[in-house]
Amino acid sequence: MNTGSSDSPRARTTLLMGFHCHQPVGNFHSVLRQACATCYGPLLEELARFPDFRFGFHMSGYLLEWISEQEKGIHSVLAELASRGQAELLTAGFYEPILSVIPPEDALEQIGILSDHIRDISGERPAGLWLTERIWDPGLVPLLHRAGIRYSIVDDNHLMAAGLGDRDLNGYFITESRGLVMALYPISQALRYATPFKPVPEALAAIESAGDGAAIVFDDGEKFGLWPETFDWVYGKGWLRDFLEAVTNSETITTESFTRYLEDNSPLGRVYLPPGSYFEMAEWTLPPRDARLFHDLHSELERSGRGPAARRFLRGGLWPHFFIKYDESNNMHKKMIRISERTLRDPIPEARRHLLRGQCNDAYWHGIFGGLYLPVLRNSIKRELNEAERILDEATGVPGPRLGDLNADGRNEAEIRSADGIVGITSTGGQVYELSDKRSLFDLLGTLTRRMEHYHLAATEAREDTGEGVATIHEAFRSMDEETRRYLVYDRYPRYAFIDHFLPEGTGIGDFAGGNFSQWGDFADGAYGMELVGEGVRADRSGTIRPEGAHAVGLALEKTFTLDERRLRVGYRLRAEEEPGVPCVFACEINLHFPSATSCRAEMDGMPFSLADVADTGSGRVVSVRDPSLQEALTLELSRPAMVWSFPVQTVSQSEKGFDVAYQGSCLVLRWALDFAGLKTLSLDLTLAF
Amino acid sequence: MNTGSSDSPRARTTLLMGFHCHQPVGNFHSVLRQACATCYGPLLEELARFPDFRFGFHMSGYLLEWISEQEKGIHSVLAELASRGQAELLTAGFYEPILSVIPPEDALEQIGILSDHIRDISGERPAGLWLTERIWDPGLVPLLHRAGIRYSIVDDNHLMAAGLGDRDLNGYFITESRGLVMALYPISQALRYATPFKPVPEALAAIESAGDGAAIVFDDGEKFGLWPETFDWVYGKGWLRDFLEAVTNSETITTESFTRYLEDNSPLGRVYLPPGSYFEMAEWTLPPRDARLFHDLHSELERSGRGPAARRFLRGGLWPHFFIKYDESNNMHKKMIRISERTLRDPIPEARRHLLRGQCNDAYWHGIFGGLYLPVLRNSIKRELNEAERILDEATGVPGPRLGDLNADGRNEAEIRSADGIVGITSTGGQVYELSDKRSLFDLLGTLTRRMEHYHLAATEAREDTGEGVATIHEAFRSMDEETRRYLVYDRYPRYAFIDHFLPEGTGIGDFAGGNFSQWGDFADGAYGMELVGEGVRADRSGTIRPEGAHAVGLALEKTFTLDERRLRVGYRLRAEEEPGVPCVFACEINLHFPSATSCRAEMDGMPFSLADVADTGSGRVVSVRDPSLQEALTLELSRPAMVWSFPVQTVSQSEKGFDVAYQGSCLVLRWALDFAGLKTLSLDLTLAF
C-alpha cells in the first residue's frame, strides 16, 4: 500500500518509461539498416550514458535476430543495459503476432522464444509482456499466466472504456479471469504526446502531474529518430540528452522498472477490459460507411461536450473484423491456422519456425500504415507459410484433395496439391483464390481487391461538400491529388481467378476495368456445388442468364480443376436450355499477382503487350508472362482462341506518409461469344502453367 | 445456398421458435410447484396437441431434476415431444452457470451432464446450446467446439453491435475463433415482444415480415403463464392455442428445428461478437452514476434520431464488472474457483456435483430480478459450496492456514479452518469476510452491504427535479413509496466483521447506523499487514487517529485470529504513541447474517433485545443470538464489558414486481472508551462461538 508520506515537501513521481521497437518480418534490409543508424543505435547509446535512468524495452524478433547478426554493436549495448539492470526487457510473441488470433500453443511458443532470448541477454526471464498493437483479449489471461507473465501494458483510454473514466490512472490495475490475476499498466496518452515531441520542461511537467503515483509511457521506439523529422529533434537538437539529464537530476522524479514498481506498490483497483485496442483501431476495423458513422458520432459528441462519455461508451469493431473486411487477410490467416494444426500433429521445428514468422501481424490488417496493402508484406508472410507447407509436404507426403470449410466462412472450399503447387478453390463463384508455388514460395493469386476505404469516402464527400468545417475533419483529403483520385475504383468481385461473367456483346474494356458493366449471369458470385473427383475438384452451378431484351435462359456451368505438377487445368462445360435470344459473351476473368509488378514481360501468341496498360490484345491462344524474380514463366493455354483484355489492378491506400498507389496484380479477361452452335454444350480447356 | 424460388406466389417464412425454462438452484419448492401448474405443464401440453409445430426447448438442471422427481407427468410429455422430433432440446451448463466465468473443465462437465440427459430423453446428443443470460464471450468458441456444439442463440442487437446494423438478420451467422466455426442465431426483439403479448394476427404478421428467411425467437418459457397476468391471456383467453393453430394452418409459415435449418441453409454472413449480452445488462454492470451517464447518453441519442448508431456503437460494462460492483459476488465467485481447483486435484464426484450446483448464475449478479439481493439465493449457493468444502475437507483433511490473493483483487487474504468452520480475512481493514459453518453450511458473514443503485439515483433525482420529461424516463420511481425511500442508506465500509472505528465520544447510534459519523481513525479501510502465526493469522497496521480539536496520534493495532473447532478468537492489542487529547471511542463493528432474519432471539447478558430494531442495549459482556433454523446459538464473549449497539441492515432492491426491502444482516457495534490508563497498550479478547 502506497500510504504516501505526509512530511515530504514535494510528491515524488515514479516515471515508468518504455520503448517498443519493431520491424515487420520480410521488411527490406535497407530499411532496417537505416532504422539502426538513425534510431535504435543512437537511442540505446544515449540511454547508456545515463545509468540511473531505468526503463522498459521491447524489441520484436525479426529485428532482434537481424541486429544480433548485422548490428552486433547495437546488440551488445542492449545486452549491457539489460544485464546491469538499467533496462528491463519485456517479452511478447517473438515475431510480433496478435496473440489473441493465433493458436494458444503457438502464442506460448512465440512468447517462450523471446523470453529465452531475454534470459540469455539479461540473466532473468521477463515478468512483463508487450501487448502487440495493444490488442487485449480477456482470454489471454490464462495463457499469459502459463507463460509466467505478471503484467502487461495497455492504453489509458482502454481502461477508461472499462469503467475507470474518472479514476486516477497513475499506477497499475488488477484484472483476472477465473481467479487468475494479472497487472495492467495504462499508458498515459498525454505522456505519449509529450515524449519526445514537447520541450523538455513541458515533458517533465506532464510527468510530475502524476503526483506521488506513477507516470507511465511505453511507445514506439521509432519516434526517437525514425519518424519524419524526429532524428534532428531528438539527437541533433539534443532533446533526448536534455530529457535524460533533467529526469536523472530531478528531485521530484525517480525512474523505476515496471516489475519493481509492482512489488513495491498496491494496485489502484480492479478492472475487466473488453477486447480491443486503442480508439482508432476500433474505427479502422469497421466497413468504410460504418467507420464514418462511428467517426461522426464521436466527433459530434466531442463537440457537444459529451466527449468523456463518448470515450467511455463508444466502441467500434473488434480486430478480427479485418478478416471480414478483407477476404485476403482471412484466407491468409486460415491458411496459417491450418499449417499450425499440421505442425502440432507433425512437429517439425523448421516448419514451425516458418509458421511463427508467418504470424507477424503487419500484413494481416490495415490502419494508418500500409499493412495488408503492401505487396512486399503479404508476399513475405506467404513466403513463410509456403515454406512451412513445402517442408511439411516433403516430410509427410503431399496431402490428397480436401473439401471443407477451410477459411471458416460457413461455406465449402477445396484444396488440391502437387509436389510443386497448392490450389485453393472457393464454392462462391467456383473460383481459385490461391495458387501457391512451393518452389518460389509465391502465391500467384495474391492480387488485392480494390475496396472503398473510409478515407476515400472522406475525399469524395469533401469534393461534393460546400466547405465549412469539413476540411478540419478530413485533413487527409487535402493531400489526395486529382491523379490519385482517378484510381479510386472498386471491385464488384474479389480479384481471384476463373470468375465467370456473362456480358452484353458491346461491353468495353474500360467499362469492365472500371466496374461499370452489365452482369447478365448469376455465376460470378453464385454458390457452386463442389465435390472431389479423383485427384481433382468439380464445381458446378445451375444458374440463369438474364440478357437485356430477351428472356432468361437456364444454364449449367461445370468446371473441373486438376493440378499436375506445375500445370493447373480447368475444364469448362457450359450447357444452356437454349441459345440466348441476344448476343452474349462468356468472359473468364483471371487475376494474377507478380512479384515484379508491371516490369514483367507479357506476350500473347508471341506478341508483346504491357501489364502496366489497359490493353485489348485481340484474339489469341497462348498468354505468357515472364517475371524477372520468378524462375518459371507463367503460361496460359486455351483450347479455343479467346479475345483477351489485360489491365492492371491498382489500389489507393493511406500510409504514414500520405496516399500510395500500388500495383496489386494484372487482370486477364478471356472472352468468347456464347454460341452453342446447336450443340447446347460448350467445352473449353484452360491450362495455367507456372 | 437458399436461392429462393421465383415461381412461388408468396414467400414462405421459417419460424424457428424456442422456450427457455429456468429456476435458480435452491428456489422454494412452492415456487416450483406453482410454476409447473401455471406454466411448464400447460405450455408443454398445449404444444403436444400440435405435432406439426416444431420448436426448440431448454430446461435448466435444477428444474429438470425436480420435475423428473416431483412432476413426472410433465417430464414424460417433454420426453414424448423430444423423442417424436417435435421438440429439439438444447443443452447449456446444467445448473445454468455463466459459461465464460467458470473454469473450462467445469463448463464442459456442466454441458456434458445436460447433453447426456438430453440423449437419454430424445435419443440424440444436442447440437445447439442455450447461452445462459445470452452472455457471449469469444473465448467460448473453442470450448463449445469441444462440447460438440454447432450453434447457439444470441440477441439481434448483439449482432447489430457487432457491425451488422443494417443487415438482414433473418437467418444465422458464422463466427469463428482460430479457425473453429460456430453458427449464431439472432433472436428478433420484435418477435420477443410479439409472443405471446400481441394478438395472434399481429404475431403472425411479425413472423411473416422475415420474408423467405427465418423468423427467430427463443425466450423465457415463464412468459407463458408465470409472468404477471400471462396465465389468463395465454391459456384462459387461448392465445397459445390460437397461435399454434394459426401457424400450423398457415400457408406462408412453416416451423423447423434449428439444426435442420442449419443443414438446409447457408449462413447470411460472418460476424465477430464482442463479449456481452443484451443491452440492459451492459447498463446494470456499471456503477450507478456511470449507469445513469450511459442511460442518458443513449436516451439523448435516441431522441435526436441517432438511435441506430447508438445501438451499434454504445457499449456499457462487461458481466464480470459485477465482481467489482459487489465484493460479495466476487468473494463467492473466487471461493467457487478455489473449490473447483481442489475438485480437479481431488475429483470426488459428490463434491463436484455441489460445486456445479454452486455455479448457478442468479445469485452472482443483480439486474431487473432480485438476484444477489435475495438472501435465499446467496445462501443456497453458499450451502452448495460449503457442502463441497465439507466433503473435501473430510476426504482430504482440513487444509492448514493460507495467505495469498484468494479473491483476485491484488491484495492478500488469509483463510483459517477447523473441522467445523472456515474463516476468511481480508488485509483491507484486517476484517473477517467469511465465517462458514461446515455443519449448517451457512455463512454467518453473509450480510450484503447497502449500496447505491442506479434506480435509487433516479428516485432521488426525480424528487429533486421540477418535472417535465423526467417522469417518463424514471418510471420506476413512481412506485417507490416514502416508506421505502427511508431505507436508502449507503454503507461506507463493506458489512464484514471486526471493522475498527475510532469515533468521537458523542457519536449516536442513529448517526452510526445512517453512515453519518466522523471517522477519526484510518483503520476501517486501511491496509493491514498479514502473516500466518502458527495455526492463526496476525493482522497489524500502524495508523493514525486524527481527533477533531487535538493533534494526530500514531496508533498500532494488532489483531490475531485463531479458530478452534467452533470458536473464533480475536485478540486485539492497541498501542498508541500517547493518549488522544480528546475523548475517543474505539468501536468494533461485527455484522452477522442469520437465515431466519429478525425472528431470531437475541440477548445481552441474559436481557433480550430485538434484531429488528435500532437498539442501544447498554453495556455487557455476552451477546447471544439463537436462530430457529440453526442448531447452535451464536455467542459473542468479550474479555471486557462493552457498550453495545445493534441495528438491522436492510436493502432496497428492484425486482420484477417493484421494490423490495430485505433484511441482510444485523450489525453489532462494541464500543470502549479509548483510555490507555497510562499503559499505552489496550488488550481485548473477543470470542465468537457459532
Side-chain angles (χ1 to χ4, degrees):
Chain A
M1 171 90 177
N2 189 0
T3 49
S5 57
S6 53
D7 44 19
S8 92
R10 297 175 70 181
R12 201 162 167 91
T13 306
T14 307
L15 172 62
L16 303 175
M17 188 169 191
F19 305 90
H20 153 65
C21 302
H22 167 62
Q23 292 293 331
V25 167
N27 208 359
F28 300 112
H29 287 201
S30 57
V31 173
L32 270 70
R33 257 189 299 277
Q34 201 213 339
C36 285
T38 63
C39 175
Y40 309 132
L43 173 62
L44 288 169
E45 279 157 27
E46 203 65 82
L47 286 162
R49 283 192 194 97
F50 295 85
D52 293 337
F53 187 89
R54 296 187 156 213
F55 61 96
F57 195 82
H58 166 254
M59 183 173 275
S60 63
Y62 177 72
L63 181 57
L64 190 60
E65 284 183 326
W66 193 85
I67 279 180
S68 71
E69 286 166 19
Q70 305 285 330
E71 295 275 1
K72 292 191 202 304
I74 295 179
H75 193 267
S76 66
V77 175
L78 179 59
E80 164 64 18
L81 286 168
S83 58
R84 76 188 186 203
Q86 186 186 345
E88 176 183 11
L89 302 187
L90 278 81
T91 192
F94 192 66
Y95 292 112
E96 203 69 354
I98 289 167
L99 292 173
S100 55
V101 300
I102 64 173
E105 298 85 352
D106 298 359
L108 280 172
E109 187 170 343
Q110 291 258 19
I111 295 169
I113 296 172
L114 187 49
S115 295
D116 287 350
H117 266 264
I118 289 174
R119 190 199 48 208
D120 292 347
I121 293 172
S122 70
E124 280 179 46
R125 278 187 81 87
L129 177 117
W130 169 255
L131 191 63
T132 295
E133 291 299 326
R134 307 202 280 284
I135 294 168
W136 177 254
D137 189 293
L140 289 175
V141 175
L143 187 138
L144 297 181
H145 223 259
R146 278 177 64 193
I149 305 303
R150 293 174 56 199
Y151 73 89
S152 191
I153 316 271
V154 295
D155 280 279
D156 54 1
N157 60 33
H158 205 160
L159 281 193
M160 288 177 208
L164 297 175
D166 310 326
R167 291 281 304 271
D168 165 21
L169 297 181
N170 300 311
Y172 70 91
F173 290 79
I174 290 289
T175 191
E176 68 82 33
S177 172
R178 291 153 171 156
L180 302 172
V181 301
M182 239 187 78
L184 294 173
Y185 281 104
I187 298 170
S188 154
Q189 192 185 56
L191 279 182
R192 264 206 301 136
Y193 290 167
T195 53
F197 304 109
K198 296 267 174 72
V200 169
E202 279 182 50
L204 258 63
I207 292 166
E208 285 165 346
S209 71
D212 63 355
I216 304 158
V217 62
F218 208 123
D219 204 2
D220 293 352
E222 291 78 20
K223 285 163 71 173
F224 295 81
L226 198 59
W227 282 24
E229 296 167 46
T230 55
F231 183 77
D232 184 53
W233 171 253
V234 171
Y235 306 107
K237 297 207 167 55
W239 186 92
L240 184 56
R241 187 165 302 185
D242 294 348
F243 175 77
L244 295 172
E245 229 163 55
V247 167
T248 47
N249 290 332
S250 167
E251 293 194 350
T252 55
I253 301 172
T254 182
T255 59
E256 192 47 277
S257 80
F258 289 77
T259 295
R260 184 63 190 273
Y261 189 87
L262 206 62
E263 283 160 1
D264 292 347
N265 296 274
S266 282
L268 294 183
R270 291 188 293 143
V271 71
Y272 293 92
L273 288 188
S277 181
Y278 38 90
F279 195 79
E280 298 85 345
M281 180 72 92
E283 188 176 311
W284 297 332
T285 62
L286 294 171
R289 292 191 192 281
D290 294 344
R292 278 301 305 283
L293 191 66
F294 181 72
H295 185 98
D296 291 350
L297 182 60
H298 180 242
S299 306
E300 186 186 307
L301 290 169
E302 286 282 355
R303 277 199 303 274
S304 66
R306 309 296 295 259
R311 277 191 292 278
R312 291 185 57 183
F313 298 124
L314 269 193
R315 271 170 242 160
L318 299 178
W319 193 89
H321 278 123
F322 286 121
F323 296 146
I324 297 177
K325 197 168 171 181
Y326 305 113
D327 287 324
E328 296 88 343
S329 169
N330 186 53
N331 290 338
M332 198 157 73
H333 178 259
K334 300 308 178 293
K335 178 182 169 88
M336 177 273 281
I337 295 283
R338 293 195 306 274
I339 295 170
S340 173
E341 285 164 4
R342 280 185 81 184
T343 59
L344 292 172
R345 274 197 309 272
D346 298 304
I348 302 169
E350 217 196 327
R352 273 200 71 74
R353 195 62 170 224
H354 287 290
L355 164 72
L356 301 186
R357 288 164 73 98
Q359 293 175 336
C360 182
N361 78 87
D362 307 72
Y364 288 94
W365 62 287
H366 170 58
I368 186 68
F369 300 109
L372 177 79
Y373 273 91
L374 302 180
V376 61
L377 295 188
R378 293 202 307 282
N379 293 345
S380 295
I381 294 302
K382 289 186 182 174
R383 186 178 305 121
E384 300 295 343
L385 297 181
N386 281 329
E387 181 99 60
E389 301 257 35
R390 185 187 60 73
I391 294 166
L392 287 162
D393 283 1
E394 282 177 11
T396 66
V398 177
R402 260 184 94 177
L403 184 66
D405 184 4
L406 302 183
N407 66 2
D409 67 350
R411 298 162 195 269
N412 268 348
E413 287 78 36
E415 191 183 87
I416 48 178
R417 290 182 183 231
S418 69
D420 285 322
I422 303 168
V423 173
I425 305 156
T426 163
S427 58
T428 304
Q431 296 157 12
V432 176
Y433 65 90
E434 175 181 355
L435 173 53
S436 286
D437 178 354
K438 279 188 274 180
R439 206 186 291 166
S440 66
L441 307 178
F442 191 78
D443 176 12
L444 288 152
L445 266 286
T447 305
L448 193 79
T449 302
R450 298 175 296 188
R451 292 181 176 84
M452 183 188 283
E453 292 286 352
H454 65 99
Y455 44 83
H456 299 169
L457 205 56
T460 320
E461 285 180 7
R463 193 165 33 178
E464 290 161 359
D465 210 294
T466 50
E468 52 168 337
V470 177
T472 53
I473 309 170
H474 312 305
E475 292 163 282
F477 164 68
R478 287 180 293 184
S479 57
M480 196 193 284
D481 54 36
E482 199 59 46
E483 167 66 16
T484 304
R485 271 188 250 158
R486 256 185 259 157
Y487 290 95
L488 296 180
V489 174
Y490 307 120
D491 292 327
R492 290 162 62 175
Y493 311 100
R495 287 282 170 196
Y496 296 153
F498 307 101
I499 307 171
D500 306 317
H501 301 280
F502 292 87
L503 309 174
E505 201 182 26
T507 307
I509 182 170
D511 301 333
F512 191 87
N516 301 313
F517 60 96
S518 296
Q519 175 67 269
W520 284 356
D522 57 6
F523 295 83
D525 55 3
Y528 277 66
M530 292 217 295
E531 59 177 329
L532 301 180
V533 181
E535 290 300 297
V537 172
R538 183 168 60 209
D540 56 17
R541 173 176 172 81
S542 294
T544 311
I545 317 177
R546 301 178 197 277
E548 273 167 48
H551 63 86
V553 175
L555 187 135
L557 198 160
E558 181 187 295
K559 295 187 255 194
T560 54
F561 300 88
T562 50
L563 180 65
D564 180 17
E565 301 295 329
R566 305 184 62 80
R567 300 170 75 80
L568 170 65
R569 290 203 178 82
V570 185
Y572 267 92
R573 184 174 291 262
L574 289 77
R575 275 188 303 266
E577 287 169 352
E578 56 185 307
E579 297 279 357
V582 294
C584 176
V585 168
F586 169 59
C588 172
E589 174 185 339
I590 299 173
N591 295 283
L592 294 164
H593 173 63
F594 298 103
S596 306
T598 50
S599 60
C600 299
R601 234 174 54 218
E603 289 181 354
M604 188 171 77
D605 289 356
M607 295 289 290
F609 65 95
S610 164
L611 290 183
D613 302 326
V614 177
D616 186 341
T617 60
S619 177
R621 279 196 51 181
V622 180
V623 177
S624 71
V625 180
R626 182 166 288 283
D627 186 300
S629 316
L630 296 177
Q631 223 181 328
E632 308 282 341
L634 180 132
T635 316
L636 177 64
E637 281 184 42
L638 314 175
S639 62
R640 276 219 252 172
M643 300 167 287
V644 179
W645 290 331
S646 159
F647 59 88
V649 177
Q650 285 148 306
T651 55
V652 179
S653 58
Q654 72 179 6
S655 77
E656 67 278 27
K657 301 182 201 83
F659 290 105
D660 297 328
V661 175
Y663 165 84
Q664 299 292 352
S666 296
C667 180
L668 295 173
V669 187
L670 318 172
R671 287 133 49 236
W672 296 270
L674 189 67
D675 180 358
F676 292 92
L679 298 171
K680 291 201 171 161
T681 299
L682 201 71
S683 291
L684 292 165
D685 286 302
L686 285 66
T687 304
L688 198 60
F690 53 94
Chain B
M1 172 89 175
N2 188 1
T3 49
S5 57
S6 53
D7 43 18
S8 92
R10 296 176 71 181
R12 201 161 167 91
T13 306
T14 308
L15 172 63
L16 302 175
M17 189 168 189
F19 306 89
H20 153 64
C21 301
H22 168 63
Q23 292 294 331
V25 166
N27 209 358
F28 299 111
H29 288 203
S30 58
V31 174
L32 272 69
R33 256 189 300 277
Q34 202 213 338
C36 286
T38 63
C39 175
Y40 309 132
L43 172 63
L44 288 167
E45 278 157 28
E46 203 65 83
L47 286 161
R49 284 194 192 95
F50 295 85
D52 293 337
F53 187 89
R54 299 188 154 211
F55 62 95
F57 195 83
H58 167 254
M59 184 174 275
S60 63
Y62 177 71
L63 180 58
L64 190 61
E65 286 183 324
W66 193 83
I67 279 180
S68 70
E69 286 166 19
Q70 305 286 329
E71 296 275 0
K72 293 193 202 301
I74 295 178
H75 192 267
S76 66
V77 175
L78 178 60
E80 163 65 17
L81 286 167
S83 57
R84 76 188 186 201
Q86 185 186 346
E88 176 182 10
L89 301 187
L90 278 81
T91 190
F94 191 67
Y95 291 112
E96 203 69 354
I98 289 167
L99 292 173
S100 55
V101 300
I102 64 171
E105 298 85 352
D106 298 358
L108 281 171
E109 186 170 343
Q110 291 257 19
I111 296 169
I113 297 171
L114 187 49
S115 295
D116 287 350
H117 266 264
I118 289 173
R119 189 199 48 209
D120 292 347
I121 293 173
S122 71
E124 281 180 45
R125 278 186 81 87
L129 177 116
W130 169 253
L131 191 63
T132 296
E133 290 301 325
R134 306 201 282 282
I135 294 168
W136 177 254
D137 189 293
L140 288 175
V141 175
L143 187 137
L144 297 181
H145 222 260
R146 278 178 66 193
I149 305 302
R150 293 173 57 198
Y151 73 89
S152 191
I153 316 271
V154 295
D155 279 278
D156 54 2
N157 61 32
H158 205 160
L159 281 192
M160 288 176 207
L164 297 174
D166 310 326
R167 291 282 302 271
D168 164 21
L169 297 180
N170 300 312
Y172 69 91
F173 290 79
I174 290 290
T175 191
E176 80 60 51
S177 172
R178 293 154 169 154
L180 303 172
V181 302
M182 239 187 77
L184 294 174
Y185 280 103
I187 298 171
S188 155
Q189 193 185 55
L191 280 182
R192 264 206 301 136
Y193 290 167
T195 52
F197 303 111
K198 296 268 174 71
V200 169
E202 280 183 49
L204 259 63
I207 293 166
E208 285 164 346
S209 72
D212 63 355
I216 304 159
V217 62
F218 208 124
D219 204 2
D220 293 352
E222 291 77 21
K223 286 163 69 173
F224 295 80
L226 197 59
W227 282 23
E229 295 165 49
T230 56
F231 183 78
D232 183 53
W233 171 253
V234 171
Y235 306 106
K237 296 207 166 57
W239 186 93
L240 184 56
R241 186 166 302 184
D242 293 349
F243 175 77
L244 295 172
E245 228 164 54
V247 168
T248 46
N249 291 332
S250 167
E251 292 196 347
T252 57
I253 301 172
T254 180
T255 59
E256 192 47 278
S257 80
F258 289 77
T259 295
R260 184 64 191 273
Y261 188 88
L262 205 64
E263 282 159 3
D264 292 346
N265 296 273
S266 283
L268 294 183
R270 291 188 292 141
V271 72
Y272 292 93
L273 289 189
S277 181
Y278 38 90
F279 196 80
E280 297 85 345
M281 179 74 92
E283 189 177 311
W284 296 332
T285 63
L286 295 171
R289 292 189 193 283
D290 295 343
R292 279 302 304 282
L293 192 66
F294 181 72
H295 185 97
D296 290 350
L297 182 59
H298 179 243
S299 305
E300 185 186 309
L301 290 169
E302 287 281 356
R303 277 198 302 275
S304 65
R306 310 295 295 258
R311 277 191 292 277
R312 291 186 55 181
F313 298 125
L314 269 194
R315 271 170 242 159
L318 299 178
W319 192 89
H321 278 124
F322 285 120
F323 297 146
I324 297 178
K325 197 168 172 182
Y326 305 112
D327 287 323
E328 297 88 343
S329 170
N330 186 53
N331 290 338
M332 198 157 71
H333 178 259
K334 300 309 178 293
K335 178 182 168 88
M336 177 273 283
I337 295 283
R338 294 195 305 274
I339 295 170
S340 173
E341 285 165 4
R342 279 184 83 185
T343 59
L344 292 172
R345 274 198 309 273
D346 297 305
I348 302 169
E350 216 196 327
R352 274 200 70 75
R353 196 62 171 222
H354 287 290
L355 164 72
L356 301 186
R357 289 165 72 98
Q359 293 175 336
C360 183
N361 78 86
D362 308 70
Y364 287 95
W365 63 288
H366 170 57
I368 185 67
F369 300 110
L372 177 79
Y373 273 91
L374 302 181
V376 60
L377 294 188
R378 294 202 307 280
N379 294 345
S380 295
I381 294 300
K382 289 186 181 173
R383 187 178 306 122
E384 300 295 343
L385 297 180
N386 281 329
E387 180 99 59
E389 300 257 34
R390 185 188 59 74
I391 294 166
L392 287 162
D393 284 1
E394 283 176 12
T396 67
V398 176
R402 260 183 93 177
L403 185 66
D405 185 4
L406 303 183
N407 66 1
D409 66 351
R411 298 163 194 269
N412 268 346
E413 288 80 35
E415 192 182 85
I416 47 178
R417 290 182 185 231
S418 68
D420 285 321
I422 303 169
V423 173
I425 304 157
T426 163
S427 58
T428 305
Q431 296 157 11
V432 175
Y433 65 90
E434 176 181 355
L435 173 53
S436 286
D437 178 353
K438 281 188 272 179
R439 205 187 290 167
S440 68
L441 307 177
F442 191 79
D443 176 12
L444 287 153
L445 267 286
T447 304
L448 193 79
T449 302
R450 297 174 298 187
R451 293 182 175 83
M452 183 188 283
E453 293 285 353
H454 65 99
Y455 43 84
H456 298 169
L457 205 56
T460 319
E461 285 180 7
R463 192 165 36 178
E464 290 161 359
D465 210 295
T466 50
E468 52 167 336
V470 178
T472 53
I473 309 171
H474 310 306
E475 291 163 283
F477 164 66
R478 288 180 294 183
S479 56
M480 195 192 284
D481 54 37
E482 200 59 48
E483 168 66 17
T484 304
R485 271 188 250 160
R486 255 185 258 156
Y487 290 96
L488 295 180
V489 173
Y490 308 119
D491 292 328
R492 290 162 62 175
Y493 312 100
R495 288 280 170 198
Y496 297 152
F498 307 101
I499 308 171
D500 305 318
H501 301 280
F502 292 88
L503 309 174
E505 200 183 26
T507 306
I509 183 171
D511 302 332
F512 191 88
N516 301 312
F517 59 95
S518 298
Q519 175 67 269
W520 285 355
D522 57 5
F523 295 83
D525 54 5
Y528 278 67
M530 291 217 295
E531 60 177 327
L532 302 179
V533 180
E535 290 300 297
V537 172
R538 183 169 59 212
D540 57 17
R541 171 175 174 82
S542 294
T544 310
I545 316 177
R546 301 177 197 278
E548 276 167 47
H551 63 86
V553 176
L555 187 135
L557 198 160
E558 183 188 295
K559 296 187 256 194
T560 54
F561 300 88
T562 49
L563 180 65
D564 180 16
E565 300 296 328
R566 305 184 62 80
R567 299 170 75 81
L568 170 65
R569 289 202 179 83
V570 185
Y572 267 92
R573 186 173 289 262
L574 290 76
R575 277 187 303 264
E577 288 169 352
E578 56 186 305
E579 296 278 356
V582 293
C584 177
V585 169
F586 169 59
C588 172
E589 175 185 340
I590 299 173
N591 295 283
L592 294 164
H593 173 64
F594 298 103
S596 306
T598 49
S599 60
C600 300
R601 231 173 57 217
E603 288 181 355
M604 189 170 79
D605 289 355
M607 295 290 293
F609 65 96
S610 165
L611 290 182
D613 301 327
V614 177
D616 186 341
T617 61
S619 177
R621 280 197 52 181
V622 181
V623 177
S624 71
V625 180
R626 182 167 289 282
D627 187 300
S629 317
L630 297 177
Q631 222 180 327
E632 308 283 341
L634 181 132
T635 316
L636 177 65
E637 282 184 41
L638 314 176
S639 62
R640 276 219 252 172
M643 300 167 286
V644 179
W645 290 332
S646 159
F647 58 89
V649 177
Q650 285 148 305
T651 55
V652 179
S653 57
Q654 71 178 8
S655 77
E656 69 277 28
K657 300 181 203 83
F659 290 104
D660 296 329
V661 175
Y663 165 84
Q664 299 292 353
S666 296
C667 181
L668 295 174
V669 188
L670 319 172
R671 287 134 47 238
W672 296 268
L674 190 67
D675 179 358
F676 292 92
L679 299 170
K680 292 201 171 164
T681 299
L682 200 70
S683 292
L684 293 165
D685 287 300
L686 285 66
T687 304
L688 198 59
F690 52 95

